Amino acid sequence: MEVGLLGLGIMGKAISMNLLRNGFKVVVWNRTLSKCDELVAHGATVGGSPAEVVKKCKITFGMLADPPAALSVVFDKGGVLEQICPGKGYIDMSTVDPETSAKISEGVTSKGGVFLEAPVSGSKQPAETGQLIILTAGEKALYDEAAPALNVIGKKSFFLGQVGNGAKMKLVVNMIMGCVMNSFSEGLVLAEKSGLNPHTLLDVLDLGAVSSPLIRGKGPAMLQSNYSPAFPLKHQQKDIRLALGLGDENAISMPIAAAANETFKKARSLGLGDLDFSAVFEAVKDLQRLS
Amino acid sequence: MEVGLLGLGIMGKAISMNLLRNGFKVVVWNRTLSKCDELVAHGATVGGSPAEVVKKCKITFGMLADPPAALSVVFDKGGVLEQICPGKGYIDMSTVDPETSAKISEGVTSKGGVFLEAPVSGSKQPAETGQLIILTAGEKALYDEAAPALNVIGKKSFFLGQVGNGAKMKLVVNMIMGCVMNSFSEGLVLAEKSGLNPHTLLDVLDLGAVSSPLIRGKGPAMLQSNYSPAFPLKHQQKDIRLALGLGDENAISMPIAAAANETFKKARSLGLGDLDFSAVFEAVKDLQRLS
Amino acid sequence: MEVGLLGLGIMGKAISMNLLRNGFKVVVWNRTLSKCDELVAHGATVGGSPAEVVKKCKITFGMLADPPAALSVVFDKGGVLEQICPGKGYIDMSTVDPETSAKISEGVTSKGGVFLEAPVSGSKQPAETGQLIILTAGEKALYDEAAPALNVIGKKSFFLGQVGNGAKMKLVVNMIMGCVMNSFSEGLVLAEKSGLNPHTLLDVLDLGAVSSPLIRGKGPAMLQSNYSPAFPLKHQQKDIRLALGLGDENAISMPIAAAANETFKKARSLGLGDLDFSAVFEAVKDLQRLS
Amino acid sequence: MEVGLLGLGIMGKAISMNLLRNGFKVVVWNRTLSKCDELVAHGATVGGSPAEVVKKCKITFGMLADPPAALSVVFDKGGVLEQICPGKGYIDMSTVDPETSAKISEGVTSKGGVFLEAPVSGSKQPAETGQLIILTAGEKALYDEAAPALNVIGKKSFFLGQVGNGAKMKLVVNMIMGCVMNSFSEGLVLAEKSGLNPHTLLDVLDLGAVSSPLIRGKGPAMLQSNYSPAFPLKHQQKDIRLALGLGDENAISMPIAAAANETFKKARSLGLGDLDFSAVFEAVKDLQRLS
């Protein structure tokens, strides 16, 4: 099967490599074309623009960094809309707000194409090993048609209904994750400043009810102040902000998320925005900086 | 080995039964003596008072509901202190604040006895199956001597040093757990009111970074408003309050815990205190009760 | 002096009446033209559209309910931009976000007109009696030229510099006000549920450091559950949300405002959005609704 | 009239001087007796212990720093209880928690004396000029009898009923004050970091609904980082903590107060505890310390 993939950042590159490794033909495009070289060395071909990629492929995936980039590859000159047409599908895996996704959906379908919103849960390593969770919404027919690719990209795909539902589900999941990371950080600081060994806390948590891949995976690195970015903190804070905005539409009061959002902002102000979101631990520690 | 056990509430009874099943002789006591009957039917013997139990046993465990009860069985007439002496040990598995634990420790050691603080993490089912996590602190020699019993009571024991460390570790763990439950509840409400299927959210979470026994175990019941108490909400709120108090001693700022504490208080005010702590979901739902 | 005034809601009408009473000629416009009748009876003349008003007047004021309305009267067909030109000024007193104000400013100046952002602090009664506080920013020359009118409209005007500063100042002021109202509400509930007479709390506060027109003016009505709207709660919540958004741009952590925002959302969900913002007291009371 | 006064800290000394200036005979006592000298120079006499003071006076006032000190002067050797008897009254103006006040009341009345709880609102300067607000509760007859002194000590006295009500009212008032100071601080930081002049914000606030002696009095000093202590921050944080504890008894959810409490703890951790409570501004500023 041949698919297109726009955007070769950490996630886009990892997904492309995984597809190539599993026998897919992949036509790639990236704003900085040189980033395509490594993919080409693994068997990919290159499109000179998003439009060129769409021209060659029945199905094209997008994996852009943020809403502006996601909109740009679709609407700008040389963008997806120049070549999308009946029979072709666009699957946007970027994490964007529901409004952006709606715009892209409208653009694609107005040209007769079919659209699937498909943000993913999981970061670099699950992307490399095809263990992502894919939260799709939009055109069911495209979801079905893309199944061979989705089954390689992720360990599980969900079809959640109308466009917007994938984006919303992603925001909810990331909101919970940010709150859990924040709660865990407060516990680590409380333990340490109360005279306990934080490593022992990790051991205790690992055996109990709140044991999770997140805590297990990131706890030890946090205790070594190692925040090599898997999921940048600035994006985590943006996601909680968007989740709060989603709640605001329906007057949903979310005090924990609101408090976590403020701590992540504090972390941004400390210059931690490009580190892994677990760096919020530094902000929580800073909340009790002894003079 | 013969041990004493004071307090046959949900936890004390389950622990006793497990010990009996594993070949221990157990001398039990409960304020309402009739509660001993079932244990006697399984091979336990009865002490007419805490002092009588201590008289018969080298090591006696306490599993009382709260600090007042924990203090009472030690200090009151007919209490542990009337019979504790050199060569005898008292292991208090009640969840109490560090100050209460310190008082009990002082009382026991002032009579020449040895003391081990040993609150447990886990509720009814792990108590029945010997899968608790035991957070001990105090007299290492007693910890070593009680190992055969501790190995049956729990899946893992920790020795955390000086008296107070076990109580503190318990508070930290329960604080994180309460915050996670609260965050999860906010996510469930946000999902539902944004048009998503909350059951699908459970499925997504289960595959991802914040997947945990807590969410997996309680999520479905919460969606059915089933809050059959494993860990009463009023105790969860008390534990977060105590954790905040512990933080206050060292001027540790914990905004997430503080926000969670207020939501659990809200839940108490709704009359949910005796239900499982997952009933905080009802309070979070109530935070957006549409008129 | 002759001025135009677009928008005859509570504030626009009160401001117009005050100007007429003070000898100004006022040309009014309102989407529902019949609302102009009462003003005409007091000496105003009517413009059939915003453009017609601008055509007649050197200076035109806008007092619209929200950003969409504020943008509409400027950019739509028959709007301000059709007649604004060199020598004419537009002064927007609507409370809008800085981005909306920037758009309007751009539109006006692109036609050669001059613009002044001028949100006001104060509600109906100060509007009627010319006791508003006017927070202007933009074209200083227009500020000076409009001085005779501003001096009648308000008790004090501030010129705050570049466009956006007026909107920002308004958001900061309203954020503080919303937090104070929320804090005061929590105090009232704590007093009452602790067995104190809340009326006595009002008396005590009135003599002390936090005595303010807000508490003095609204306290007694709140204790009678009288929330006749002077400043609708939904607008107060929107202002706090916008203030938090302003803070987010610069990673400013504002935990009190964030907590207050969630309580105001809760109040909206209780259907209190159209009542006076002091109705947040009902939401705070509801936070401890005894079962 | 002759009265006793125990405790010559900032408040006790100021109150004594004011009474002496107004023609009262005052018998003073302080743990460090040398502190009495200045009062003696102004006409006071000295008691060698609290008991000696009570022996000489029909009515004795206490103005101690905290609950331990307040309990000590009553219950310790040489304390109030050694001389209190029918016909004598003790009026405790210390700010203590309701439980401490109850203990003192019990002690005094068990000896046949009469007790009045009388915490004050206001700090050094109102104490010097007799402008305090006195929040009394307990024995009405003693309240009436002490009226001549109360009328000099304060500008207004309230009799609030049973012992505990004065302490509770004080906590509620101080909780509101702490939240207002925190909200004001967040507004100042938001203004400054959004490019506004914070001094202008003070001017705007002063004209509006939340204008208060607190903001008017402390705002300018805060902008100069002048936190000369009138009301120590550590006491403010203790009062909010006690207010939250009072709320916890009745499951009263107070999210604003909870958030403010965490910020005041943060301020303590920055070493600001002995400065005026307005120094919380530094903690709020620190929440957005740019890297």
Side-chain angles (χ1 to χ4, degrees):
Chain A
M1 191 180 181
E2 181 167 48
V3 298
L5 199 140
L6 314 177
L8 296 177
I10 294 177
M11 293 298 283
K13 171 180 159 179
I15 289 170
S16 301
M17 294 288 261
N18 181 43
L19 285 167
L20 289 167
R21 236 182 359 259
N22 279 274
F24 282 76
K25 292 194 199 303
V26 186
V27 185
V28 297
W29 168 88
N30 193 65
R31 193 167 296 286
T32 311
L33 277 168
S34 61
K35 274 205 161 181
C36 300
D37 297 349
E38 194 181 345
L39 277 305
V40 167
H42 284 80
T45 49
V46 179
S49 67
E52 278 194 38
V53 174
V54 171
K55 186 171 180 178
K56 293 186 189 179
C57 304
K58 203 167 189 313
I59 295 177
T60 299
F61 290 88
M63 187 39 121
L64 291 312
D66 51 42
L71 288 166
S72 169
V73 300
V74 171
F75 289 96
D76 287 1
K77 186 159 136 69
V80 167
L81 294 191
E82 282 188 9
Q83 285 292 331
I84 201 83
C85 60
K88 288 189 182 286
Y90 183 59
I91 301 182
D92 195 348
M93 292 189 292
S94 318
T95 297
V96 297
D97 54 292
E99 289 67 39
T100 295
S101 197
K103 283 182 196 162
I104 292 171
S105 174
E106 242 190 79
V108 168
T109 53
S110 71
K111 298 281 185 177
V114 281
F115 176 73
L116 192 69
E117 171 185 71
V120 300
S121 189
S123 57
K124 183 182 177 189
Q125 208 244 352
E128 290 168 339
T129 57
Q131 294 299 300
L132 295 170
I133 303 159
I134 315 177
L135 306 170
T136 81
E139 184 60 58
K140 185 66 163 50
L142 178 54
Y143 173 72
D144 294 333
E145 193 186 344
L150 297 178
N151 291 343
V152 163
I153 292 171
K155 61 179 174 181
K156 176 101 188 198
S157 297
F158 292 84
F159 182 76
L160 302 169
Q162 63 191 8
V163 166
N165 284 359
K168 290 175 182 179
M169 185 64 85
K170 179 77 195 279
L171 291 182
V172 173
V173 170
N174 275 20
M175 180 201 97
I176 295 173
M177 187 169 74
C179 291
V180 170
M181 174 54 74
N182 226 321
S183 308
F184 172 50
S185 296
E186 286 188 0
L188 278 175
V189 175
L190 179 61
E192 187 160 31
K193 294 220 178 287
S194 302
L196 303 175
N197 182 338
H199 286 93
T200 309
L201 175 61
L202 295 191
D203 292 339
V204 175
L205 290 175
D206 203 45
L207 292 160
V210 292
S211 164
S212 67
L214 182 77
I215 291 178
R216 200 175 307 129
K218 295 194 180 282
M222 288 162 69
L223 290 181
Q224 293 181 322
S225 298
N226 174 3
Y227 305 110
S228 179
F231 178 41
L233 186 139
K234 63 188 178 187
H235 293 156
Q236 168 68 84
Q237 192 263 314
K238 171 184 59 67
D239 289 348
I240 290 194
R241 176 168 52 82
L242 291 179
L244 283 163
L246 181 62
D248 192 292
E249 288 173 30
N250 289 304
I252 302 171
S253 189
M254 301 167 12
I256 309 297
N261 190 33
E262 297 310 310
T263 303
F264 277 112
K265 284 185 204 172
K266 155 78 169 170
R268 274 177 54 205
S269 83
L270 288 174
L272 306 172
D274 292 322
L275 296 178
D276 187 67
F277 78 116
S278 53
V280 73
F281 182 40
E282 293 296 317
V284 176
K285 280 198 274 184
D286 195 72
L287 283 173
Q288 28 274 342
R289 198 166 26 85
L290 295 173
S291 63
Chain B
M1 190 178 180
E2 182 167 49
V3 298
L5 199 140
L6 313 176
L8 296 177
I10 295 177
M11 294 298 282
K13 170 180 161 181
I15 290 169
S16 301
M17 293 288 261
N18 182 43
L19 285 166
L20 288 166
R21 241 184 353 262
N22 279 275
F24 282 74
K25 292 192 199 306
V26 185
V27 185
V28 297
W29 169 88
N30 193 65
R31 192 167 297 285
T32 313
L33 277 168
S34 61
K35 274 203 161 183
C36 301
D37 297 349
E38 194 180 349
L39 277 305
V40 168
H42 283 81
T45 50
V46 178
S49 67
E52 278 193 38
V53 173
V54 170
K55 185 170 181 179
K56 292 187 192 178
C57 304
K58 201 164 189 316
I59 293 177
T60 299
F61 289 88
M63 187 40 122
L64 293 311
D66 50 43
L71 288 166
S72 170
V73 300
V74 170
F75 290 96
D76 287 2
K77 187 160 135 68
V80 167
L81 295 191
E82 282 187 11
Q83 287 291 331
I84 201 82
C85 59
K88 286 188 186 287
Y90 183 59
I91 301 182
D92 194 348
M93 292 189 291
S94 318
T95 298
V96 297
D97 53 291
E99 290 69 38
T100 296
S101 197
K103 281 180 197 163
I104 293 172
S105 175
E106 241 190 77
V108 167
T109 52
S110 71
K111 297 280 183 177
V114 280
F115 175 73
L116 191 69
E117 172 185 70
V120 299
S121 189
S123 57
K124 184 181 176 191
Q125 208 243 354
E128 289 167 341
T129 57
Q131 294 297 301
L132 295 170
I133 303 159
I134 317 177
L135 307 170
T136 80
E139 183 60 59
K140 185 64 163 51
L142 178 54
Y143 174 71
D144 293 334
E145 193 186 344
L150 297 179
N151 291 343
V152 163
I153 291 172
K155 62 180 174 180
K156 174 100 188 196
S157 297
F158 291 84
F159 181 76
L160 302 169
Q162 63 190 11
V163 167
N165 283 359
K168 290 175 183 179
M169 185 64 85
K170 179 77 195 279
L171 292 181
V172 173
V173 170
N174 274 20
M175 179 203 99
I176 295 173
M177 187 167 75
C179 292
V180 170
M181 173 54 75
N182 226 319
S183 308
F184 172 50
S185 297
E186 286 188 0
L188 279 175
V189 175
L190 180 61
E192 187 160 31
K193 293 220 178 290
S194 301
L196 303 175
N197 183 336
H199 287 94
T200 310
L201 175 61
L202 294 191
D203 292 339
V204 174
L205 290 174
D206 203 45
L207 292 161
V210 293
S211 164
S212 65
L214 183 77
I215 290 178
R216 198 174 309 128
K218 293 192 181 284
M222 288 162 68
L223 290 181
Q224 293 181 321
S225 298
N226 173 4
Y227 305 110
S228 179
F231 178 41
L233 186 139
K234 62 187 178 188
H235 294 157
Q236 168 69 81
Q237 191 262 315
K238 172 183 58 69
D239 289 348
I240 290 194
R241 176 168 53 81
L242 292 179
L244 284 163
L246 181 60
D248 192 295
E249 287 174 30
N250 288 305
I252 303 171
S253 188
M254 300 167 15
I256 310 297
N261 190 32
E262 296 311 310
T263 304
F264 277 112
K265 283 185 204 172
K266 154 80 168 170
R268 274 177 54 205
S269 83
L270 289 174
L272 306 172
D274 291 323
L275 295 178
D276 187 67
F277 78 115
S278 53
V280 73
F281 182 40
E282 294 296 316
V284 177
K285 281 198 275 185
D286 196 71
L287 282 174
Q288 28 273 347
R289 196 163 31 83
L290 297 171
S291 61
Chain C
M1 189 179 181
E2 182 167 49
V3 299
L5 199 140
L6 314 176
L8 296 177
I10 295 176
M11 294 298 283
K13 171 181 161 181
I15 289 170
S16 301
M17 294 288 260
N18 181 41
L19 284 166
L20 289 166
R21 239 183 356 259
N22 279 275
F24 282 76
K25 291 194 202 304
V26 186
V27 185
V28 297
W29 170 88
N30 193 65
R31 192 166 297 285
T32 312
L33 277 167
S34 61
K35 274 203 162 182
C36 299
D37 298 348
E38 195 182 346
L39 277 305
V40 167
H42 283 81
T45 50
V46 179
S49 68
E52 279 193 38
V53 174
V54 171
K55 186 171 181 177
K56 291 186 190 178
C57 304
K58 201 165 191 315
I59 294 177
T60 299
F61 289 89
M63 186 40 120
L64 292 313
D66 51 41
L71 288 165
S72 168
V73 300
V74 171
F75 289 97
D76 288 0
K77 188 162 134 69
V80 168
L81 294 192
E82 283 187 9
Q83 285 293 329
I84 200 84
C85 60
K88 287 189 184 286
Y90 183 59
I91 301 182
D92 194 348
M93 292 189 292
S94 318
T95 297
V96 297
D97 54 290
E99 289 67 39
T100 297
S101 197
K103 283 182 195 160
I104 293 171
S105 175
E106 242 190 78
V108 168
T109 52
S110 72
K111 297 281 185 179
V114 281
F115 175 74
L116 192 70
E117 172 186 69
V120 300
S121 189
S123 58
K124 183 181 177 190
Q125 208 244 352
E128 290 168 340
T129 56
Q131 294 298 301
L132 295 170
I133 303 160
I134 315 177
L135 307 170
T136 81
E139 183 61 57
K140 185 64 163 50
L142 178 54
Y143 173 72
D144 293 334
E145 192 186 345
L150 298 179
N151 292 341
V152 163
I153 291 171
K155 61 179 173 180
K156 174 100 188 197
S157 297
F158 291 86
F159 181 75
L160 301 170
Q162 64 190 8
V163 167
N165 284 358
K168 291 175 181 178
M169 185 64 85
K170 179 78 196 277
L171 292 181
V172 172
V173 171
N174 274 20
M175 180 202 99
I176 295 173
M177 188 168 74
C179 291
V180 170
M181 174 53 75
N182 226 320
S183 309
F184 172 51
S185 297
E186 286 189 0
L188 277 176
V189 175
L190 179 61
E192 188 160 31
K193 293 222 180 287
S194 302
L196 302 175
N197 182 338
H199 286 94
T200 311
L201 175 61
L202 295 191
D203 291 340
V204 174
L205 290 175
D206 203 45
L207 292 161
V210 293
S211 164
S212 65
L214 182 78
I215 291 178
R216 199 174 307 127
K218 295 194 180 281
M222 288 163 67
L223 290 180
Q224 294 181 320
S225 298
N226 173 2
Y227 306 111
S228 178
F231 178 41
L233 186 139
K234 63 188 180 187
H235 293 157
Q236 168 68 82
Q237 192 262 316
K238 171 183 61 68
D239 289 348
I240 291 194
R241 176 168 54 80
L242 292 179
L244 284 163
L246 181 61
D248 193 293
E249 288 174 30
N250 288 305
I252 302 171
S253 188
M254 300 165 17
I256 309 299
N261 190 33
E262 297 309 311
T263 304
F264 277 111
K265 283 185 204 172
K266 155 79 169 171
R268 273 176 55 205
S269 83
L270 288 174
L272 306 172
D274 291 322
L275 295 178
D276 187 67
F277 78 115
S278 52
V280 73
F281 182 40
E282 293 296 316
V284 176
K285 280 197 274 184
D286 195 71
L287 283 173
Q288 28 274 345
R289 194 163 32 83
L290 295 173
S291 63
Chain D
M1 190 178 182
E2 181 167 50
V3 298
L5 199 140
L6 313 175
L8 295 177
I10 294 177
M11 295 297 283
K13 171 181 161 180
I15 290 169
S16 301
M17 294 288 261
N18 181 44
L19 285 167
L20 288 167
R21 236 180 2 256
N22 280 275
F24 282 75
K25 292 193 201 305
V26 185
V27 185
V28 298
W29 168 89
N30 193 64
R31 194 168 294 287
T32 312
L33 278 168
S34 61
K35 275 204 160 180
C36 301
D37 297 351
E38 193 180 348
L39 276 304
V40 167
H42 284 80
T45 50
V46 178
S49 67
E52 279 193 39
V53 173
V54 170
K55 185 171 181 178
K56 291 186 190 178
C57 303
K58 201 166 189 314
I59 294 177
T60 299
F61 289 88
M63 186 40 120
L64 291 313
D66 51 43
L71 288 165
S72 169
V73 300
V74 171
F75 289 96
D76 288 2
K77 187 161 135 68
V80 167
L81 294 192
E82 283 188 9
Q83 286 291 330
I84 200 83
C85 60
K88 286 188 183 290
Y90 183 59
I91 301 182
D92 195 348
M93 292 189 292
S94 319
T95 298
V96 298
D97 54 291
E99 289 69 38
T100 295
S101 197
K103 282 181 196 161
I104 294 171
S105 175
E106 242 190 78
V108 167
T109 52
S110 71
K111 298 280 186 177
V114 280
F115 175 73
L116 192 70
E117 171 185 71
V120 301
S121 188
S123 57
K124 183 182 177 190
Q125 207 242 352
E128 290 167 340
T129 57
Q131 295 297 301
L132 295 170
I133 303 160
I134 316 177
L135 307 169
T136 80
E139 184 60 58
K140 185 67 163 47
L142 178 54
Y143 173 71
D144 294 334
E145 194 186 343
L150 297 178
N151 291 342
V152 163
I153 291 172
K155 61 179 174 179
K156 175 103 188 195
S157 298
F158 292 84
F159 181 75
L160 302 169
Q162 62 190 10
V163 167
N165 283 359
K168 290 175 183 178
M169 184 65 84
K170 178 77 196 279
L171 291 181
V172 172
V173 170
N174 274 20
M175 179 202 98
I176 296 174
M177 188 168 74
C179 291
V180 171
M181 174 52 75
N182 226 320
S183 309
F184 172 50
S185 297
E186 286 188 0
L188 278 176
V189 175
L190 180 61
E192 187 158 33
K193 294 220 179 290
S194 303
L196 303 176
N197 183 339
H199 286 93
T200 310
L201 175 61
L202 294 191
D203 292 339
V204 175
L205 290 174
D206 204 45
L207 293 160
V210 293
S211 163
S212 65
L214 182 77
I215 291 178
R216 199 174 308 129
K218 293 194 180 285
M222 288 163 68
L223 290 181
Q224 294 181 321
S225 300
N226 174 3
Y227 305 111
S228 180
F231 178 40
L233 185 140
K234 62 188 179 188
H235 293 157
Q236 169 68 80
Q237 192 262 317
K238 170 183 60 67
D239 288 349
I240 291 194
R241 176 169 53 81
L242 292 178
L244 284 163
L246 181 61
D248 192 293
E249 288 173 30
N250 288 304
I252 302 171
S253 188
M254 300 167 14
I256 310 299
N261 190 32
E262 297 309 311
T263 304
F264 276 112
K265 284 185 202 172
K266 154 79 167 171
R268 273 176 56 204
S269 84
L270 288 175
L272 306 172
D274 291 321
L275 296 177
D276 187 67
F277 78 115
S278 53
V280 74
F281 182 40
E282 294 295 316
V284 176
K285 281 199 275 186
D286 196 71
L287 282 173
Q288 27 274 348
R289 195 162 33 84
L290 297 173
S291 60

